[in-house]
Amino acid sequence: MGNRLSKIATRTGDAGMTGLGDGSRVEKDHLRICAMGDVDELNSEIGVLMTEEIPESIAPELKALFMQVQHDLFDLGGELCIPNYKLLNPDHVAQLDIWLEKYNKELPPLTEFILPGGTRAAAQAHVCRTVCRRAERSIVRLGWAEPLYDAPRQYVNRLSDLLFVLSRILNRAAGGTDVLWKHEKKETK
């Protein structure tokens, strides 16, 4: 693998085409490449989240969680890069369900919508959530055009839910609360 990665500027994409993991070439705006790009962006945003100040009481477990998610997302990118290849499986999705249940139990029920905000880490978790939703839309769009396994779609769907819950956990662990949306009915004249 080292030889393959040692030359970064290959110039093979200058005409708007790029290679997939199976050796085939597609347009750089192909649905598969768009989905891969959105997953890559999500992975990068999670990397930014990991550099934020995370309260010491939860930092070790959340950083380990985020590191596992980054590895899973790298595998997801690999699965998208090679048509008909499978790297994620139901166990990956099940792990997200376990984390969702664990962290959601620690939170009070929501009675209002919340706004992205609070601490920088919580706000960045919301950015990750929105990028994850975009990645999900890209994967769904690709799945309408080409056959895909279920786990990639399920994984990003569940991950966006987890990122929402973790944004709330991050605010609470820092001594804050959710930033509630204040809906005010305005009278019309």
Side-chain angles (χ1 to χ4, degrees), residues 88-156:
L88 290 186
N89 60 56
D91 291 341
H92 292 93
V93 178
Q95 179 59 63
L96 295 178
D97 283 331
I98 291 167
W99 287 328
L100 260 169
E101 185 177 341
K102 173 187 178 185
Y103 290 108
N104 206 33
K105 269 197 243 180
E106 299 175 19
L107 297 168
L110 280 176
T111 57
E112 294 288 337
F113 290 106
I114 66 170
L115 300 174
T119 65
R120 282 185 55 95
Q124 180 61 28
H126 278 289
V127 170
C128 293
R129 174 186 57 79
T130 61
V131 173
C132 190
R133 285 291 186 205
R134 180 166 18 97
E136 179 183 15
R137 290 189 300 271
S138 294
I139 290 168
V140 166
R141 194 173 303 119
L142 174 61
W144 294 129
E146 298 180 19
L148 288 180
Y149 293 105
D150 290 335
R153 184 185 63 255
Q154 294 166 345
Y155 187 89
V156 290

Side-chain angles (χ1 to χ4, degrees), residues 71-85:
H71 281 83
D72 292 349
L73 290 173
F74 203 85
D75 286 344
L76 173 54
E79 184 166 332
L80 292 171
C81 181
I82 305 170
N84 301 311
Y85 191 64

Side-chain angles (χ1 to χ4, degrees), residues 15-121:
M17 301 290 284
T18 192
L20 294 177
D22 66 355
S24 64
R25 296 193 62 77
V26 296
E27 301 84 5
K28 286 194 173 192
D29 64 350
H30 188 279
L31 292 176
R32 187 170 292 278
I33 301 303
C34 292
M36 288 167 49
D38 289 342
V39 169
D40 188 31
E41 182 181 351
L42 172 58
N43 209 342
S44 297
E45 290 288 0
I46 289 173
V48 172
L49 174 55
M50 291 173 66
T51 69
E52 293 294 344
E53 188 174 320
I54 296 177
E56 287 181 30
S57 62
I58 60 171
E61 69 184 271
L62 284 193
K63 287 192 177 194
L65 182 157
F66 291 138
M67 183 62 69
Q68 182 59 54
V69 166
Q70 282 195 302
H71 281 83
D72 292 349
L73 290 173
F74 203 85
D75 286 344
L76 173 54
E79 184 166 332
L80 292 171
C81 181
I82 305 170
N84 301 311
Y85 191 64
K86 187 174 186 175
L87 285 169
L88 290 186
N89 60 56
D91 291 341
H92 292 93
V93 178
Q95 179 59 63
L96 295 178
D97 283 331
I98 291 167
W99 287 328
L100 260 169
E101 185 177 341
K102 173 187 178 185
Y103 290 108
N104 206 33
K105 269 197 243 180
E106 299 175 19
L107 297 168
L110 280 176
T111 57
E112 294 288 337
F113 290 106
I114 66 170
L115 300 174
T119 65
R120 282 185 55 95

